[in-house]
Amino acid sequence: MTFMASELLFAPFPPKNMSPDQSIGAKFDRLIAAFDLASTVKDRRVVIKMHLGGGNGFSTIHPFFVRKLVKAVKEAGASKVFITDMKRDVDHAIDRGYTEEVCGCPIVPVCGEDESAFVTFPVEPPFKTMDRIELSKPILDSDVLLDFSHVKGHGVCGFGGASKNLSMGAVTNAMRQLLHAQEGGLEWNSEKCNKCSKCVNNCPDKAMTFKDGKLKIFFHNCKYCRHCMLICPQKAIKIDQGSYVDFQQAMAMTTAKLISHFKDRQLYINMLMDITLFCDCWGMTTPALTPDIGILAGRDIVAIEQASLDLIGKATFYQDALPPNWNCDPDTTKHLFERVHHKNPYAVVKALEKMGMGTTEYTLKEIN
């Protein structure tokens, strides 16, 4: 399938002057108005997929923008609107100011309260060990998918944006584990380990314990998120990173399966603000790697991801935002995310394009 260049709306963060009309909040209103939501959402059920974050993190999408978006979708004539994310993050959404009263619509767990609301699609032939895709039933039961994403870095796949918000956030916990398993294996070096238990205490899924002086990993819970590897002061834990392209491919396959269900009823908004080193699932907020860039909107997931990466790649890099002695590649011809995470962030974009999910060719229409 051949796609024509996709037009994306872009609201740049920097104001031309100090008029409130030039603020990013006012530009967001104009971007939404230019997006023509009514043509897609009128008389339809709309699901807004976003990541609500966790732990001590606060650099998720500000509730100010969420409320504006929900109001706009309702005014465009949607018959129903709701926000969804993983249950563990929905349970703590209030910590970051996300409530039904603030956002203007219900916030529900992506696969239900008991993780039973999902649909299984077989992968034939299996991709490595991925033999199925388990997708959220509440999302599939909706008429319109609005993917509202905070773009940031990610240690495993280079970056997280619209695609990761769906492939890792619109699935079951078991599916997330299956996706992460495509990264490679986890190895513990007992000679380097000093038993400080930082890995155990900071595992977000409680998958690690020390028993009889040995590190035990409960792989039913482990999702290969690399928290343990990155936090270990002795570098006693390693994950084979050579398979990150397989992880990207598996994520692209999952995203493609989901968005294929919505055909021309998919909308994307990428927030290029608070662009941090790690994903919001890390449970902490770190300094921004670049100045705030702005907001992108479009109907092509490939184009919006490509444009997001291109804009970040051109931005000023705040190297002081990295932890001391972070291994940053000095090669400035590489993308910022590749320099800090040593993985090509465009891999998932290319995979989605190859699957016919969109085009990397785009034009930007500025909203000023």
Side-chain angles (χ1 to χ4, degrees):
M1 183 181 296
T2 302
F3 290 85
M4 296 182 63
S6 179
E7 181 181 83
L8 302 173
L9 303 177
F10 175 53
F13 194 101
K16 292 183 176 179
N17 55 56
M18 289 298 103
S19 167
D21 189 60
Q22 277 292 301
S23 71
I24 193 64
K27 289 179 182 179
F28 186 63
D29 290 334
R30 294 194 288 275
L31 180 144
I32 293 301
F35 205 11
D36 184 22
L37 290 172
S39 65
T40 303
V41 309
K42 186 174 175 57
D43 299 324
R44 287 172 170 163
R45 298 163 296 176
V46 180
V47 54
I48 299 176
K49 175 62 188 77
M50 58 179 292
H51 187 23
L52 305 173
N56 285 317
F58 57 85
S59 51
T60 50
I61 300 173
H62 198 288
F64 172 83
F65 293 102
V66 181
R67 184 176 178 87
K68 278 181 174 287
L69 179 59
V70 170
K71 181 181 179 183
V73 171
K74 287 182 174 180
E75 291 178 345
S79 61
K80 179 181 179 181
V81 188
F82 69 98
I83 292 167
T84 191
D85 195 17
M86 295 174 284
K87 175 173 166 49
R88 71 181 186 192
D89 296 327
V90 170
D91 288 346
H92 298 281
I94 192 172
D95 296 341
R96 272 150 294 284
Y98 303 119
T99 66
E100 181 172 347
E101 182 180 27
V102 169
C103 296
C105 71
I107 304 172
V108 304
V110 72
C111 290
E113 290 290 339
D114 60 356
E115 191 77 2
S116 65
F118 66 91
V119 180
T120 302
F121 300 89
V123 175
E124 298 176 346
F127 176 72
K128 296 185 69 180
T129 61
M130 192 174 87
D131 59 355
R132 67 192 186 280
I133 296 174
E134 296 176 349
L135 298 177
S136 159
K137 192 172 188 301
I139 292 181
L140 292 173
D141 286 344
S142 301
D143 301 314
V144 178
L145 171 64
L146 203 168
D147 186 349
F148 196 24
S149 302
H150 170 219
V151 181
K152 60 277 171 185
H154 193 280
V156 178
C157 49
F159 91 111
S163 177
K164 184 174 181 295
N165 187 32
L166 300 179
S167 60
M168 300 301 291
V171 299
T172 62
N173 286 328
M175 188 65 211
R176 276 187 288 278
Q177 177 188 351
L178 189 57
L179 286 164
H180 273 296
Q182 309 315 311
E183 301 164 21
L186 189 153
E187 299 177 1
W188 172 63
N189 188 320
S190 60
E191 294 181 358
K192 287 186 176 181
C193 180
N194 64 1
K195 315 298 191 297
C196 70
S197 294
K198 285 187 177 181
C199 57
V200 173
N201 296 334
N202 289 278
C203 176
D205 296 285
K206 310 301 180 188
M208 312 182 90
T209 58
F210 270 106
K211 186 175 181 180
D212 300 327
K214 295 183 179 180
L215 182 67
K216 302 292 184 180
I217 303 166
F218 183 44
F219 283 99
H220 179 76
N221 285 1
C222 175
K223 65 178 193 300
Y224 297 87
C225 66
R226 297 171 77 249
H227 286 46
C228 58
M229 187 187 83
L230 292 171
I231 205 167
C232 178
Q234 304 301 118
K235 307 299 181 187
I237 299 174
K238 289 184 178 181
I239 291 179
D240 176 13
Q241 299 185 42
S243 298
Y244 86 90
V245 175
D246 291 334
F247 179 45
Q248 290 273 38
Q249 179 72 18
M251 289 202 306
M253 291 170 63
T254 304
T255 296
K257 187 64 181 179
L258 178 64
I259 65 177
S260 295
H261 173 79
F262 290 93
K263 299 181 180 179
D264 62 346
R265 294 171 285 111
Q266 47 190 289
L267 305 167
Y268 301 93
I269 301 177
N270 275 10
M271 307 293 280
L272 306 183
M273 298 151 60
D274 295 314
I275 301 168
T276 52
L277 180 64
F278 294 127
C279 177
D280 295 331
C281 66
W282 187 258
M284 63 182 290
T285 289
T286 55
L289 294 172
T290 72
D292 289 334
I293 296 171
I295 305 170
L296 282 167
R299 298 167 185 269
D300 182 328
I301 191 171
V302 178
I304 200 168
E305 295 282 73
Q306 178 78 27
S308 296
L309 288 171
D310 289 349
L311 288 167
I312 292 169
K314 296 174 184 176
T316 301
F317 173 27
Y318 295 153
Q319 191 154 347
D320 288 346
L322 297 176
N325 302 318
W326 186 270
N327 180 20
C328 180
D329 193 324
D331 185 355
T332 57
T333 65
K334 294 180 179 178
H335 192 278
L336 166 59
F337 287 150
E338 186 170 7
R339 292 178 64 195
V340 299
H341 289 303
H342 308 285
K343 300 172 183 68
N344 180 2
Y346 287 101
V348 71
V349 184
K350 296 297 184 184
L352 284 167
E353 183 178 43
K354 190 173 182 180
M355 293 175 192
M357 296 298 108
T359 176
T360 53
E361 300 297 321
Y362 63 88
T363 59
L364 294 182
K365 180 179 179 181
E366 283 203 13
I367 305 296
N368 288 300

